[in-house]
Amino acid sequence: MDYKNSEAPLSTITYDRSKIEAPTHNIYESISIMAKRANQINEDLKKELIDKLEEFATHNDSLEEVFENKEQIEVSRFYEKLPKPTAMAVEEWLHGDIYYRNPEETEAK
């Protein structure tokens, strides 16, 4: 998934409760699904950031030599400016981009 082009808001906004609970007919289940998706997004972004910052890592035991790397700072700032994973998850939920299933319902059928 391309999180860099997310249309999620950068600040907190109010959502219509009925739109959030519409797919599951249960607000708590909807929030639980969005929370799990936000955790997935957070892990993906964290892994991606760590991989990019590893390129700049210097593996020496000396704490005296600390270099400022402008490219490293730019990468860090880029990830800081992205919308929060929870906002991305809510946006995906409202657009119907999250696949979910309830195992209890599938077993009952």
Side-chain angles (χ1 to χ4, degrees):
M1 179 99 197
D2 188 20
Y3 304 119
K4 292 155 191 77
N5 296 327
S6 175
E7 297 176 3
L10 296 174
S11 62
T12 305
I13 64 168
T14 305
Y15 292 99
D16 184 10
R17 180 178 159 235
S18 61
K19 289 181 182 178
I20 289 178
E21 71 180 12
T24 61
H25 305 293
N26 185 334
I27 188 73
Y28 302 108
E29 187 175 352
S30 297
I31 290 173
S32 176
I33 293 167
M34 288 185 288
K36 289 177 184 178
R37 179 62 183 142
N39 286 337
Q40 290 175 342
I41 293 170
N42 189 41
E43 289 297 319
D44 289 347
L45 289 174
K46 189 177 183 180
K47 182 177 182 275
E48 192 175 304
L49 176 61
I50 289 172
D51 289 346
K52 287 187 179 184
L53 291 179
E54 280 293 319
E55 297 173 9
F56 303 108
T58 56
H59 301 288
N60 59 8
D61 296 333
S62 174
L63 294 175
E64 297 172 4
E65 296 181 24
V66 177
F67 298 102
E68 278 192 26
N69 189 337
K70 293 191 186 305
E71 292 175 2
Q72 182 180 1
I73 293 170
E74 287 176 23
V75 168
S76 296
R77 284 191 179 152
F78 173 78
Y79 279 92
E80 287 175 2
K81 290 180 182 178
L82 285 177
K84 302 290 183 223
T86 51
M88 289 185 206
V90 171
E91 200 66 26
E92 287 180 4
W93 179 254
L94 293 176
H95 290 293
D97 296 335
I98 297 177
Y99 170 78
Y100 67 94
R101 63 183 176 85
N102 188 341
E104 294 173 0
E105 290 179 6
T106 56
E107 290 175 3
K109 291 181 181 179

